[in-house]
Each structure stands twice: as C-alpha cells, then as structure tokens.
Amino acid sequence: MSQWLKTWLKRSDQPSVLIPNNNEDEPDDPDDPDNDVTSNNGDIEFELADKDSQPHQPLLVSFPKKLFGKQNRSFSSKYYKDYTWIEYSQNKDLVFCFYCRNFGTSSNSEEVFTKSGFKDWKKISEKLNKHSKSSYHLFSLAKYKDYQNTKKTGNVHVQMSNAYKEEVEKNRKYMLMIIDAVLFLAHQGLSFRGHTENKESLNQGNFKEICGMLATYNPSFASKMETSYFNYTCPLVQNDLISITAGLVRSQIVQEITECGMYALMCDEARSFKEEQLTICVRYTKHMVVQERFLSFVLCSTSRSAAGISNTILESLKTLNIDQVPMIGQSYDGASVMAGHINGVQKKIREFHPEAIFFYCVAHKLNLVIVGMCKHVKSSVLFFNTLESLYIHFSRPSSHHKLINIQKQLGIKPREIMQISDTRWACRFENCDMILHPIQKNKRKVFENSLLKDSIVTSTVGTDNFEEQSKTPEAHWRSHSYYEILDSIIQGLNSRFSSESLSIANALDTFLKLNTNDSDPFINHYQKLLKIDSDLLKAEMIVAKNCILKEEWDFDELINIANKSVLPNLRKMLKVALILPVITATCERSFSAMRRIKTWLRSRMEQNRFDNLAILNIAKDLLKNLNKEKILDEFAKKPRKLKL
C-alpha cells in the first residue's frame, strides 16, 4: 500500500469541512465585514452543497455589484464553466471551493476558499487560476474522486471483492428494468396498482403484470422478483421513482426558463371529483423557439378567492425556484376572480411582477363574443351562411395553436372592429344565401304617444316606423336580425379586449415592422425590466431594417438577423414578442391529461403522486430523453437494502 493511501486512511475519519487552519493565505480585506468568519458559518454551511451533492451554482439574472476603485464589479456565472468546482453563496455574495471545503484537511487547505469566502471580483480570475493549480486543491480533488468511486463500489476492502461488484451490477440492471416499467406506465397515463395484488389474483395491476412479463424473458430478473424479499415493487418504491423522475423533468424546465431569462404565466382551474385543481403553465423560448410547458397541479379547494389563488401561485413559483426570474405576461380566462382589474388574481400578481401584463385568453373571449351573438338569434331563419363566415373569421384555427404570438392574434382585432363598424358588412348580407320567411305582423297595432314626437326615442314604443318602411323580407331581416348580430359582435369585441393589451399589440405590430415612431408603448414598458437603452434599441432597429433587402419580411428572417452579439437589445425585445401569452390552450390540455390520469377508479390518489404523474404524462418529450442511470443514481442516494 502506498504512503499516500496510508495517509488518506488515517485522515478519513477526521471532519473535512469548516475546520480552522494555520494557512498563510488570508482574506483579501480583513476589515471588510463581508469577510467576517464568524458571521458566515451558520448561513453558508446550510446554503452550500454537502459532499453528496453537486457544487451550489445558482444562475441568477444579475449578481450583486461592489465598488472597486471607480468601477462596479460583480461575480459572473461564466466562471462555472471554466472552474466547475466553485460555489457561490447568494446570502453572503462569496465564492468557495467545493472540493477543498468538503474534502480538505486542517493542514492542507486555503481558508479563503473553505471558510471565510472570496469576494475580490477584481482579482477573481487570477485567484481562481492560482487555486486550481495548488497542491492542496489537487489533493482535495483526488479525495473527492475516491469518495465518488467508494459510493458506487464500496470501501477499499469491498473494491477487492469481485463478488460485490457483480452483485451491484446485477442490482442496477434489475432496478433499471423496474424504472422502465414505471416510466412506461407514466408515459401512457395508465394505472399502476390492481384491486388485489397477491400472487393468486388474476389481475395484479399493470405494474406487477408488466414485471411478470419481463420476468418470463429475463431469468435474472425473475429470480430477484421471486426469491428476494426486497424486490422493490411496493407502492412506496413506485412513489419514490415517480417523484425523482418528475423532479428531474421539472428541473430541466426550470433550467430552460432561467437560461431564457423571462417567462409568461398561464393558469386555469377545473374540478376533479370533489377537488379544485389549479394548473400552472409557463411560456418561454429555447433558442428563440417558443416552449409552453405544464409545471404543476395545485390543490386550491380551501381558498378559491383572488387572494387565495394568487398566494397559491406565488408559493408554487417560489417552490419551483423561478420566483426571481422576470415575469413579462400572464394569461387567464375571463372569470372575475382571475381577470378582475381591481382585486383579481392578475392585479395581485402584478403587485409582485409589475411588468406582467394581463392578457384575457383570446379563445375564451371569442367564444363569449359568439355566444353573445347567438343570444340574438330568435328563429331558425337566422342560421345562414353569414353567421358561419363570422364564426370562421373571428375564431381561426390558428388561435388555438400554442406557437401563435400576440401580434398575429391581437394586433388585427382593432382593424376588424373598425371594418365591421364602418361598413357593417352590408355586402355579406347581400351575397349570402338565406331562407326568408314572411314578415309576421302584430295582431294589435300600437301607436306612438303624441307627447314624444319632439323627443329622441331609444326604446320600442308605439308603431315601428322603420318596420313600416320595410316592405320586403330582405329589409326586415337586415334591420331586425343581421344588424343586431353585428352590433352585438362589435360591442363584445370592444368590451372584452382591454385597452392596455390592444395598445401593446398595436405597438408590437409596428415594432415588428421596425418602425421606430409608433412602437414606444411596447419598448417603454419593458426597457427598465430588461435594462435596455431605448435609443440604442432604435438604432439597432434601423440597422436590422437596412440588412433586410426585401420590403416585406417574416418573423423568422428578423430573428436570424437579430444576432445576440450584434443586436442584443433587438433580440431581447423579439424574445418578449414571442413569449407574451395569447391563449391558455396548454392549461386546457393539462385538464385533458388530468381526466385521463385521475379517473373515478383512481380518485383516491394522493395529490403529490397525481401531480408527478401528470407532468410525466404531459412532458413526454422530456421524459423520453431522460437518462435512466441518473434516476437510479438519485434513487441510490438514500440508504437501501439493495446495494446500488
């Protein structure tokens, strides 16, 4: 045995973190209160990662700045890539070394990276480079690698046992097949358990029946299932694997949101048996491609008021670690508790995220406009081609597609309202095919009061002079039905499309045409949040317009021109244009999954299991690309009877 290994074995029982040492290296500024050793220990030890985890490397939108001389400097997440071992403390704004802090010894460590923390951002590159080449850092790195190998194969004595290695390998293969069965059922949205799961049952449930089928083709798997007491097919193990997998999927979504730097919130609620479920979905971009993702189902039966729902949403965002990421928009249905501009959910969310403009779901609005129009239909004669053309015109199939952006859906509405208001579509009435019924005369004629001759009458009193002039059925149905329906549509569109959302949509429409004159409402609303200089942005718009040789261009061409390194401000605003929510179709799709998963036979499923199964069933693309070895490694972190 080598001398180094003997030394390591002697020191293996000694504590390896937060031990005072006599190293000559001291913090850069002993008088700086941020470098006070005694004030850091409690919070930092709790915040930073332990030796069984990965280095604590939060991705923040901006890091705190500190004045060095005449220049403000701060830590940057770019150092994570070059120095994978560094850790950053958000509470104290300090940098540590993961290896030296967890695996260094009292006589072989650098205190500034293990206990007090480093904060001299002016010299950080030089200091990190020097530390990475130091002997005590390399020694701590070697101990970390030995520790990782020990976790997989046991201690030094166990490594010498080939039988143990073979057992671990067989156990991991066995557990990977169990994980395959769990992921298959979650992917398909099928139930796991049966009514009776004993061996005499003709149907032990989908999970155990799949395990039985796998056992017929794999003798090693069959022996574990039949002879081992700990065969890991119980409901508790199922819940552990489901929870771990759902956590990995959510972590990937949260990471993509953090890298995007902004997102939009979409929420809706629906009844599931005797419970009210609130679905939380987000919209963001990944490499300038729109992504709409379901995040979680939250039980909101106890408090369905605006305050209760908004608190539930904010707590969920905090649990998912995206509460600090800028929210630029929010979209709900038209219920007053959600859309109320005085005390609704959208108003309460804007108290924490002021830039998050509320957009009333277009699909819900158009549906309500059509419903209001249909209330004016008093007889079957009015179901003619014009109503069909109106419905198709205002509720295009594209409005239900998750990739539609706000400019395409909202920007055109004011022009349509003006077009209908000005012309009232008289030409459409003349060109449509109608079944015109004869005009039914009133049995008793009512005459107008002579006292009202000099007044403007807005209600029906006395004889309808206009009806007397309507000698033909066409004139009668045009005035009494067709115009009433159009007026209902105009009133519905004007009342349901808010002035703020329409103002942003119109400004966005001109912005995408690279018009610097009329796009100020859109630019001014987000320039502070995104730290954009409006003058510089308008200069970039002019540059982009000069780069496009055609008079008309589409959105994809504009994105290709707006390079992040050349036109960064323009690219940020284009990202906002993509992310702003229009509809809540993703929320409706999650309710479809809810009814597939939580059927009446599975109505007693616990909320945590249901929520985790929902995201695995909805995010099928992420689930398929998930590494099963990673799931098994997370599962093996807890003490298990089966050596993994």
Side-chain angles (χ1 to χ4, degrees), residues 528-547:
K528 183 178 179 181
L529 177 68
L530 302 179
K531 299 178 181 179
I532 291 175
D533 187 343
S534 59
D535 295 333
L536 185 58
L537 172 62
K538 291 180 179 180
E540 292 181 5
M541 292 169 64
I542 296 173
V543 172
K545 194 170 185 178
N546 293 334
C547 294

Side-chain angles (χ1 to χ4, degrees), residues 24 106 147 208 224 281 301 338-339 388 416 450 544 560:
E24 295 180 357
S106 58
Y147 179 75
K208 287 200 170 182
K224 283 283 186 184
C281 303
S301 302
M338 303 295 290
E388 182 180 0
E416 291 175 343
S450 59
N560 293 332

Side-chain angles (χ1 to χ4, degrees), residues 11 32 67 103 136 191 236 277 293 312 416 425:
R11 295 172 177 172
D32 190 350
L67 186 64
F103 297 93
Y136 39 81
S191 61
L236 293 178
Q277 297 285 350
R293 295 290 187 186
T312 300
E416 291 175 343
W425 279 5

Side-chain angles (χ1 to χ4, degrees), residues 257-398:
I257 294 173
T258 306
E259 291 174 354
C260 176
M262 63 186 79
Y263 72 99
L265 177 70
M266 300 174 293
C267 295
D268 201 352
E269 60 176 306
R271 177 169 288 275
S272 175
F273 297 95
K274 297 181 180 180
E275 303 170 341
E276 285 291 332
Q277 297 285 350
L278 177 71
T279 178
I280 299 177
C281 303
V282 290
R283 181 181 173 106
Y284 60 95
T285 60
K286 181 180 179 182
H287 306 303
M288 297 303 286
V289 177
V290 175
Q291 305 287 330
E292 284 194 4
R293 295 290 187 186
F294 163 81
L295 279 179
S296 181
F297 277 123
V298 184
L299 203 60
C300 62
S301 302
T302 55
S303 179
R304 298 176 61 191
S305 63
I309 294 176
S310 59
N311 289 335
T312 300
I313 293 173
L314 294 172
E315 285 295 326
S316 300
L317 296 179
K318 186 176 181 180
T319 303
L320 294 165
N321 295 323
I322 59 174
D323 55 317
Q324 299 300 321
V325 181
M327 183 193 300
I328 63 171
Q330 49 181 326
S331 181
Y332 317 117
D333 59 13
S336 58
V337 70
M338 303 295 290
H341 66 283
I342 296 177
N343 202 29
V345 171
Q346 62 100 358
K347 181 65 175 179
K348 294 184 179 297
I349 294 294
R350 292 194 69 170
E351 294 175 2
F352 297 89
H353 301 275
E355 290 80 8
I357 299 177
F358 167 64
F359 293 96
Y360 189 165
C361 174
V362 174
H364 283 83
K365 281 193 290 190
L366 295 179
N367 179 67
L368 292 174
V369 170
I370 299 299
V371 169
M373 176 192 72
C374 292
K375 290 180 179 179
H376 290 80
V377 177
K378 300 179 181 179
S379 63
S380 61
V381 69
L382 297 179
F383 287 98
F384 44 72
N385 294 340
T386 302
L387 294 183
E388 182 180 0
S389 65
L390 285 172
Y391 187 86
I392 295 174
H393 186 73
F394 284 100
S395 57
R396 301 177 181 85
S398 63

Side-chain angles (χ1 to χ4, degrees), residues 240-269:
D240 276 352
L241 293 175
I242 292 170
S243 178
I244 290 170
T245 309
L248 292 174
V249 172
R250 284 196 181 92
S251 297
Q252 184 173 346
I253 297 175
V254 170
Q255 182 180 356
E256 292 177 356
I257 294 173
T258 306
E259 291 174 354
C260 176
M262 63 186 79
Y263 72 99
L265 177 70
M266 300 174 293
C267 295
D268 201 352
E269 60 176 306

